[in-house]
Amino acid sequence: MSLDSRPSPSDPFDSPPPPRQPAFIVPGIVLGLLAFLALVHWVRVDVLDDVQGGWALLNLSFLAGCYGSSDEICLLREPLAAWTSPITHAFLHGDWVHYGTNAVWMLAFGTPVARRLGAGRFLVFCAFGAVAGAALFYVMNPDLIQPMIGASGVVSALMGGAARFALGAMGRGDVAYAPLLSIPRSLSDRTVLFFIIVFFVTNIALGSGAGLLLGEGAAVAWEAHVGGFLFGFLCFSAFDPRRQHPVGL
């Protein structure tokens, strides 16, 4: 039986949305994050010289194989890189197309998530999404000494989070304030289920080598996509400030 998901008047986080608030306004935190990522990429490729750019790539990218290897490249890294790179790899992008692709998806899925979570929780959620993506990439490639960069794990976490409340409510008002669905209820929603199937089929195709048809597709870190999505989908309720019982338990 579905639980009553109506907000409690005594909980400030459960207050109804402000009247006549635009449903698709992009929060400043999303625009600010995209601007910061663009600035980082511009500085790395156009401002830093080859030596400085190489240092940034070596220490900010995620190198899965360096957690169990004494390879010469790993020994050149700064001591803190092993601790910080599970997050900092999301600040780097291979080129402007890579950045632009992530920017478009972040605008689409980061907007409802940021409006629901607020700026602080949104940034924490994104950080955990980056770590989750790096974690699964490490599990699948423990010996790989090749830089893994990009905000795709973060974007995938936003997709997974949006699947818990926004995707199933499209066309029904302000999706940022839609009821939080339980995991079983989300999987029973045809829109959400179709989106999840397409997401996983696409990434399985990339992982199986079909991405060669796309040229650079073979270099896509599909493991980071899947890790970020699973985190966002399974753990979103822990970040939801509305503190409601998920519908469909």
Side-chain angles (χ1 to χ4, degrees):
M1 179 180 295
S2 298
L3 297 179
D4 188 349
S5 62
R6 289 175 297 180
S8 171
S10 61
D11 191 336
F13 290 109
D14 286 338
S15 57
R20 291 190 293 272
Q21 186 175 8
F24 298 103
I25 187 171
V26 180
I29 188 61
V30 175
L31 295 176
L33 181 57
L34 289 175
F36 178 73
L37 294 177
L39 176 63
V40 170
H41 182 68
W42 173 71
V43 169
R44 185 173 74 87
V45 300
D46 291 330
V47 176
L48 301 182
D49 59 31
D50 290 343
V51 173
Q52 294 168 331
W55 181 94
L57 184 62
L58 179 65
N59 289 285
L60 299 182
S61 66
F62 184 75
L63 293 171
C66 285
Y67 288 90
S69 171
S70 57
D71 187 278
E72 180 180 357
I73 293 179
C74 301
L75 296 177
L76 294 175
R77 302 184 88 197
E78 299 292 338
L80 286 178
W83 298 96
T84 57
S85 62
I87 293 179
T88 58
H89 75 274
F91 298 154
L92 306 181
H93 289 87
D95 53 33
W96 284 111
V97 173
H98 188 197
Y99 164 81
T101 301
N102 280 334
V104 169
W105 290 115
M106 186 175 289
L107 282 172
F109 292 94
T111 293
V113 173
R115 292 185 60 232
R116 187 180 184 98
L117 298 185
R121 286 185 178 90
F122 175 78
L123 290 178
V124 173
F125 183 80
C126 288
F128 273 91
V131 172
L136 187 59
F137 186 85
Y138 169 77
V139 169
M140 301 297 292
N141 306 278
D143 301 318
L144 182 63
I145 301 179
Q146 179 177 333
M148 191 274 282
I149 60 176
S152 298
V154 173
V155 171
S156 296
L158 296 172
M159 291 179 176
R164 293 290 302 277
F165 69 95
L167 293 183
M170 295 298 292
R172 305 175 194 170
D174 192 342
V175 296
Y177 296 94
L180 177 68
L181 302 181
S182 67
I183 292 174
R185 179 70 176 273
S186 297
L187 295 175
S188 67
D189 184 286
R190 278 187 282 185
T191 301
V192 176
L193 183 60
F194 178 77
F195 177 80
I196 292 175
I197 290 173
V198 171
F199 178 89
F200 277 93
V201 167
T202 301
N203 281 281
I204 290 172
L206 291 174
S208 68
L212 287 171
L213 298 175
L214 303 176
E216 294 297 322
V220 172
W222 63 271
E223 304 93 334
H225 299 185
V226 173
F229 186 91
L230 289 175
F231 161 76
F233 185 75
L234 298 175
C235 302
F236 182 79
S237 59
F239 295 82
D240 189 0
R242 301 193 72 198
R243 297 177 181 172
Q244 62 187 14
H245 295 291
V247 174
L249 283 177

